Every structure is written in C-alpha cells, then in structure tokens.
C-alpha cells in the first residue's frame, strides 16, 4: 500500500486539494500535526486510526526519526497511510526526510502538494507576493535559525540584496533579529513589512509596519512575515467580510446546524455548532403512517417545519395521493423542503408564525364550509393554529410527526462557549433546552433570535435579546447578524 504525504494547506480547510480529500477518504491511518484542522481529519473514514505526532501542550513531541519509522512500519503493514502536513509537505515541513525514509525502506509513497502558507497567508491578508515591476521575485526563508548567532545557513545579506519580496516562515519569535539582519544587509528600514498571524483562519490578524518597527508589534506564532513594497498593499478581503472573526454559536438540530454554520463561515464567522435540539420519531408513529396513507381525504395539509415535511414524505407512498390536496407551509424554509419533494406550496403566510398562518388559511376558505386539515408537526407545539382552525369550524387532525428532544450535553461545551460572542436561537425549544442543559450563565453576551416568540422565551429565562430577525427565517437571522456587526 501507499503512504501519502499530503499538504493540508495553511488552515482554512477548504484549501485542501481534491487529491488530498480523495486519499483522506480512503485512509486507514492519518498521521497529523497539532495544528491540523479537525474538519480535515473528519474526511477520513470514521474508523480510520488517527495518530497525532505534534507537540501537545505539556506533552512530548514525537521525534522526526520516530515519525519516519511509524510511516515506514504502517506502509510495510499494508495500510493506506496519510501523513497530513500543514501547507505544502515539501516546504519547511520535513516531508523530504519522510519521503527519503520511505524510499530507503522500499515503501511506495506519493506526494500530494498543498497550498503553502508562504503564498496563501499573504493572499488572505490582501498582499500579493509579486507585483509587476515593483516586486519581481519572492524569497521564502526559514526564520527558525537564530540570525543573531550567525551560525545559521541563511545568507540574510544575500536575501536583503535580492530586493524582491521576502517571506519568512517560522520567524515570529526571532522577528527582531531577522529584521535587524536584513537592515544590516542593506534593505531600507522603512521598507513595508507585515506579519500575518493565524492566516486563513477565523482568528487571522495582520500587523502592518515597516522593517524597522515590525518587531515592536510582537508577532506571535504561527505568523508569516512579508517584507517588501507589496507589504504596503491593502487589498484586504478576508478580514473585511461582514462577520469576520465573530464567534457565533448555532443551536439548531443537525443537519440544519451544519448548513447554518456554513453560511455564517462564508461571511467570515467562526461558527460553533452546539445543537440544543434533536429529532426523534414520535411516541405513536403509526398515526403519521395512517394519516399519510389517507392524505387524499384531506382538503389541506399544513406543514410548520422542514422536519415535519421530511417525516411526512417518508410515509407518503404515492405522490399522487396529494393530487387534490392543498398544501400550506409556515415559511420559506418549510416551502423549500416541500419544493425539494416537487410540491409547490399553495400558501405561505406573510409572517412566518402560527398566528399569521391561521389568518391566511381562514382568508383562503371563503364562504364555503371549512374543510378537513392535517397538521403533521412536532409532538409538543403551540396550539394557536389547531385551536384557531377548530374554532372556525375546521375538522383538524394534528398528528405527531416527530419529537424534539434535548441532546446529551456536549463534553466540550465549556471550551466551545469560551469567548463566544453571540448565540443564535431559532426556536423556543433551542432556548429552553440550551439553558436547561448548560445554564443561563453559559449564554454568550449577545442573544440573537429568529423572531418574537423565541425572544419571549429568551426573556422568560431572564436573558436579554440583543438581535431579533425581522424576517423570521434563518437567512433573516443571518442578515440581522450582519446588520448588527456592520452598523
Ligand atoms: N509546510 C508549511 C510550512 C511549515 S513551517 C507550508 O508550506 O505552509 C511553519 C510555519 O509556516 C509557521 O511558523 C508560520 O510561519 C507558517 N504558517 C503556517 N500556517 C500558518 C498560518 N495559518 N498563518 C500564518 N503562518 C503560518
């Protein structure tokens, strides 16, 4: 079998190559470093072995010889091994030594190049490493050797003399000595210089200075240092996204939490998925099956959540039985779930709450007699809609389609919630479950809700509501967050 030396890119998990994702997906073993992003490790099969060889806080670092031996042994054992390394495996990453050890042992290996931080981190800070005419070369140098001792093999004078862009990796700690040596080598002290910390990650921070002053800003690792005219370029885009760097907790059920988190990340947020709700089959699941079998006997089927749609359609054997039935959705999310199943909602109320749905349905019926209505929904829910319809003379069938439960507390919750700025609540049950599970003191400073009902529940727990969506959808909530942070 083969050992793959895979470049993981500088941090943003979406900068992994397609080939990298492909070999990870069929790995038996993943050997990774401490800074590896968890979501990349998730690309390996669940039962793949994951071995950390990075220095753990307080623990020992696995020596390079031991890593080489481990790769050789696993390769010889016939396993598909992925050695995941930050950036590119052959740029200051000792991938060359690992490949040499594998070659010497006769173990087949492949190299999957990665996007190196030397180029990608400046790019995420809005700094192009070359510019036509002004910066015609870029030199990537290790800052690992102590330039003050003069014992290293980096020829800093030559680096300075070359004149193009200088990119220093592993140089944060020795920043002052490095800049001093480059100045001594003849580069002007006022040459623009930048240090990009935690590049491509939600906590990216760019320090902008000159060669003479950069060290005063005390850059912290991991940082990529860029020296040269280009370092004055401020084509910032990554750090300018509306929710950049905001730690926002998502409490929706999975898989909706992942979808919402992805939308938040697209806007630059550091989204934390901590579902406060999960869906299970209802206690009496035969009722839904029976109602679905008789779907054609109703005048209306009214859906109040995407989950209700999903469960109902699991039981609907023949789509044609909905042929003569009119269908209502409480809002666009529910309507989208219907559209996914090729059903176009006949009615979506103006406001996406039960009161509005009740009003819209009452207006629909006109002078003829109110009909039979099926409402497949959560086992426990507000009775505004069924009670209102019944009072208006409708024949109402409320059928439990699912049960919302509080998931087991996440053991990492305290760490995930630390420094979180905002928590989003998309329903009353996310509020009650979250506060029951973690307590109100665990709630981050700003609470953002999807609408007035969820806000009322939030306040009933003694919490303030900082942001309330005007459009009561997840998109509306995200828009409200953007509005709040760009104002
Ligand atoms: N093989 C890697 C480099 C490994 S050396 C690559 O090709 O990118 C480790 C150094 O890379 C760090 O000290 C830092 O200078 C740089 N680096 C790695 N990740 C970084 C990040 N997210 N932001 C800034 N610099 C980073």
């Amino acid at each position: 079998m083969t050992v793959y030396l895979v470049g993981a890119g500088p941090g943003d998990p979406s900068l992994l190559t397609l080939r990298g994702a492909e070999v990870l997906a069929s790995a038996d073993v993943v050997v990774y470093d401490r800074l590896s992003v968890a979501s990349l490790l998730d690309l390996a099969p669940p039962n793949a072995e994951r071995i950390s060889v990075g220095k753990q806080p307080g623990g020992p670092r696995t020596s390079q010889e031991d890593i080489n031996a481990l790769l050789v042994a696993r390769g010889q054992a016939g396993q598909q091994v992925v050695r995941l390394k930050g950036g590119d495996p052959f740029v200051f990453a000792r991938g060359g030594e690992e490949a040499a050890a594998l070659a010497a042992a006769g173990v087949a290996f492949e190299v999957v190049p990665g996007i190196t931080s030397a180029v990608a981190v400046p790019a995420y800070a809005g700094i192009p490493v070359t510019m036509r005419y002004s910066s015609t070369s870029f030199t990537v140098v290790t800052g690992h050797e102590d330039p003050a001792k003069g014992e290293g093999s980096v020829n800093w004078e030559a680096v300075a003399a070359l004149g193009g862009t200088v990119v220093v990796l592993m140089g944060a700690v020795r920043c002052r000595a490095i800049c001093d040596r480059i100045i001594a080598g003849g580069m002007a002290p006022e040459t623009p210089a930048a240090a990009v910390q935690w590049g491509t990650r939600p906590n990216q921070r760019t320090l902008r200075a000159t060669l003479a002053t950069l060290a005063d800003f005390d850059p912290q690792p991991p940082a990529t240092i860029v020296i040269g005219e280009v370092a004055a370029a401020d084509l910032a885009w990554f750090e300018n996204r509306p929710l950049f760097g905001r730690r926002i907790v998502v409490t929706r059920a999975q898989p909706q939490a992942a979808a919402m988190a992805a939308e938040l990340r697209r806007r630059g947020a550091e989204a934390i998925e901590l579902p406060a709700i999960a869906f299970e089959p209802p206690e009496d699941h035969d009722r839904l099956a029976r109602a679905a079998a008789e779907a054609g006997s109703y005048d209306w089927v009214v859906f109040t959540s995407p989950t209700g749609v999903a469960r109902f359609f699991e039981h609907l054997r023949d789509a044609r039985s909905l042929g003569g039935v009119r269908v209502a959705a409480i809002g666009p999310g529910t309507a989208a779930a219907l559209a996914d199943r090729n059903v176009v909602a006949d009615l979506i109320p103006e406001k996406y709450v039960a009161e509005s749905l009740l009003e819209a349905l009452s207006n629909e019926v006109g002078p003829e007699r109110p009909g039979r209505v099926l409402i497949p929904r959560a086992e426990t829910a507000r009775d505004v809609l069924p009670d209102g319809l019944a009072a208006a003379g409708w024949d109402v069938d409320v059928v439990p389609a699912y049960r919302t439960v509080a998931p087991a507390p996440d053991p990492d919750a305290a760490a995930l919630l630390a420094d979180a700025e905002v928590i989003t609540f998309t329903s009353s049950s996310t509020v009650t479950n979250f506060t029951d599970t973690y307590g109100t003191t665990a709630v981050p400073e700003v609470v953002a809700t999807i609408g007035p009902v969820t806000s009322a529940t939030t306040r009933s727990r003694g919490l303030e509501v900082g942001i309330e969506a005007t459009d009561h959808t997840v998109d509306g909530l995200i828009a409200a967050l953007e509005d709040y942070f760009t104002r």
Side-chain angles (χ1 to χ4, degrees), residues 31 63 87 104 125 129 148 151-152 162 189 225 243 312 314 329 337 340 355 364 382 385 409 411 433 451 465-466 479:
V31 180
S63 75
V129 289
E151 65 190 3
L162 197 58
I225 294 171
L243 297 178
F312 176 80
E314 280 165 19
D340 284 345
E355 287 78 0
E364 269 300 298
R382 294 194 305 143
L385 182 64
N433 290 353
V465 175

Side-chain angles (χ1 to χ4, degrees), residues 113-187:
I115 296 183
T116 178
S117 50
V119 176
V121 168
Y124 269 55
I127 300 173
V129 289
T130 71
M131 234 8 176
R132 217 168 165 216
Y133 307 122
S134 70
S135 306
T136 53
S137 70
F138 63 96
T139 310
V140 182
V141 198
T142 172
H144 193 58
E145 297 167 356
D146 189 346
K149 291 202 177 124
E151 65 190 3
S153 45
V154 176
N155 184 340
W156 291 100
E157 288 68 31
V159 169
L162 197 58
T165 304
V166 180
V167 178
V168 186
L169 300 186
M170 297 177 282
V173 176
R174 300 179 206 282
C175 181
R176 187 170 304 280
I178 290 167
C179 292
D180 286 351
R181 272 294 286 281
I182 296 178
I183 292 171
M187 203 183 264

Side-chain angles (χ1 to χ4, degrees), residues 10 86-88 91-93 116-118 121 169-170 196 198-199 201 222-224:
D88 181 271
V91 176
F92 300 134
T116 178
S117 50
V121 168
L169 300 186
M170 297 177 282
V196 189
W198 292 105
R201 304 210 185 206
T224 294

Side-chain angles (χ1 to χ4, degrees), residues 50 58 96 118 161 164 229 261-262 268 295 332 376 454 487:
R50 289 155 170 83
E229 287 312 317
T454 308
R487 226 182 313 121

Side-chain angles (χ1 to χ4, degrees), residues 6-285:
V6 178
D12 179 343
S14 59
L15 294 180
L16 179 77
T17 63
L18 291 175
R19 180 66 179 144
E22 196 173 82
V23 298
L24 266 171
S26 53
D28 299 313
V29 195
V30 184
V31 180
Y32 65 96
D33 297 318
R34 185 174 64 91
L35 292 181
S36 299
V37 177
S39 64
L40 290 185
L41 297 180
D42 289 345
L43 294 178
N47 56 346
E49 194 181 347
R50 289 155 170 83
I51 304 175
S52 167
V53 293
K55 188 171 161 59
Q56 303 296 328
R61 178 197 287 275
T62 312
S63 75
Q64 190 59 48
E65 291 66 34
D66 287 349
I67 297 172
N68 295 353
L70 174 69
L71 298 179
V72 167
R74 295 312 186 97
Q76 282 171 340
Q79 291 185 303
Q80 164 136 324
V81 184
V82 169
R83 169 70 176 115
L84 197 61
K85 303 172 85 76
D88 181 271
F90 277 5
V91 176
F92 300 134
R94 308 190 74 170
E97 287 157 69
E98 292 170 7
L102 292 163
V107 175
F109 67 92
E110 280 184 28
V111 182
V112 181
I115 296 183
T116 178
S117 50
V119 176
V121 168
Y124 269 55
I127 300 173
V129 289
T130 71
M131 234 8 176
R132 217 168 165 216
Y133 307 122
S134 70
S135 306
T136 53
S137 70
F138 63 96
T139 310
V140 182
V141 198
T142 172
H144 193 58
E145 297 167 356
D146 189 346
K149 291 202 177 124
E151 65 190 3
S153 45
V154 176
N155 184 340
W156 291 100
E157 288 68 31
V159 169
L162 197 58
T165 304
V166 180
V167 178
V168 186
L169 300 186
M170 297 177 282
V173 176
R174 300 179 206 282
C175 181
R176 187 170 304 280
I178 290 167
C179 292
D180 286 351
R181 272 294 286 281
I182 296 178
I183 292 171
M187 203 183 264
E190 26 328 314
T191 306
V196 189
Q197 300 172 166
W198 292 105
T200 81
R201 304 210 185 206
N203 51 336
Q204 172 174 310
R205 185 149 173 252
T206 306
L207 311 172
R208 289 171 181 280
T210 65
L211 192 48
T213 60
L214 185 62
D216 299 341
F217 292 86
D218 195 20
Q220 295 298 312
T224 294
I225 294 171
V226 191
I227 300 159
E229 287 312 317
V230 292
D234 189 1
L235 303 168
W237 56 274
F238 184 72
E239 292 173 42
N240 284 355
R241 291 167 309 153
L243 297 178
F244 176 73
R246 306 292 180 184
R247 277 174 71 86
I248 302 175
V249 182
V250 176
T251 55
R252 302 192 83 190
Q254 292 295 15
Q256 287 95 335
M260 179 171 171
E263 282 302 317
L264 291 171
R265 289 184 192 118
R266 250 172 26 81
R267 290 162 176 80
E270 192 171 349
I272 299 149
E273 294 167 42
L274 199 56
I277 187 170
F279 301 123
E280 282 185 1
E283 221 125 86
D284 176 3
H285 39 84

